[in-house]
């Protein structure tokens, strides 16, 4: 961890291809979210390349319901997936949510989930980027493991 990045890692009992396919399906993200803020996908299409945009409905205790556009900035099949959130119709503000996958064997995968805000440009968001905690991110990986079981 650093002042501008949180990451958590665990090893899951599933092949890397299954892990990646689940992460690339925005409709499953509400099932995985350990923070409780991701509520619904409005895109209903799998992520297939850098440049894809998927829309999620969020719900935060202080901000209520709102939508974000997630701009895919990294897509490496069975290896990595990352996106930059933005207000609908706006340019991403520079923080990245991502996943890195490493096969541990044919049926096990080392999974790293990270949030990086080193390039954050919106000062309004600076106070909010640490709202999701490492424990909530670990819960997300746990939810991913359950979804793959």
């Amino acid at each position: 961890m650093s002042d501008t990045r949180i990451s958590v890692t665990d090893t899951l009992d599933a092949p890397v291809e299954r892990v990646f396919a689940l992460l690339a399906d925005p409709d499953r993200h509400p099932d995985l979210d350990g923070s409780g803020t991701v509520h619904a996908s409005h895109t209903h299409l799998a992520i297939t390349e850098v440049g894809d945009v998927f829309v999620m409905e969020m719900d935060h205790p202080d901000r209520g319901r709102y939508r974000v556009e997630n701009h895919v900035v990294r897509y490496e099949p069975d290896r990595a997936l990352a996106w930059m959130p933005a207000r609908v119709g706006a340019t991403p503000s520079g923080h990245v949510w991502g996943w890195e996958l490493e096969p541990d064997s044919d049926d096990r995968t080392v999974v790293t989930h990270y949030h990086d805000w080193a390039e954050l440009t919106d000062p309004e968001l600076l106070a909010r980027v640490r709202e999701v905690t490492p424990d909530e991110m670990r819960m997300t990986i746990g939810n991913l493991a359950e979804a793959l079981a």
Side-chain angles (χ1 to χ4, degrees):
M1 276 196 256
S2 73
D3 290 343
T4 60
R5 181 181 172 105
I6 297 172
S7 77
V8 296
T9 301
D10 201 355
T11 302
L12 305 185
D13 292 324
V16 69
E17 300 83 10
R18 283 191 56 225
V19 177
F20 187 84
L22 199 150
L23 294 172
D25 181 357
D27 284 351
R28 296 301 308 271
H29 290 195
D31 303 331
L32 306 179
D33 175 45
S35 74
T37 59
V38 179
H39 277 266
S41 168
H42 289 274
T43 305
H44 311 301
L45 297 171
I47 299 165
T48 59
E49 63 186 359
V50 169
D52 281 354
V53 177
F54 62 99
V55 178
M56 301 301 291
E57 184 166 331
M58 311 295 286
D59 191 1
H60 188 276
D62 297 330
R63 291 183 289 283
R65 287 211 180 236
Y66 60 97
R67 289 185 183 179
V68 295
E69 290 179 344
N70 292 296
H71 299 254
V72 176
V73 296
R74 188 172 178 195
Y75 182 89
E76 300 171 36
D78 303 336
R79 300 285 294 154
L81 186 61
W83 53 86
M84 296 177 79
R87 293 181 183 114
V88 174
T91 302
S93 59
H95 66 111
V96 178
W97 288 97
W99 296 88
E100 294 174 338
L101 309 174
E102 182 71 37
D104 189 46
S105 66
D106 286 345
D107 59 354
R108 289 176 55 84
T109 304
V110 177
V111 176
T112 299
H113 182 29
Y114 67 90
H115 183 206
D116 189 309
W117 57 93
E119 303 297 320
L120 188 67
T121 58
D122 184 345
E124 210 176 282
L125 289 177
L126 192 54
R128 299 191 327 218
V129 293
R130 287 188 176 218
E131 287 179 344
V132 176
T133 67
D135 285 342
E136 291 170 326
M137 292 172 69
R138 276 188 276 285
M139 189 179 302
T140 298
I141 292 178
N143 293 341
L144 174 62
E146 286 181 26
L148 291 162

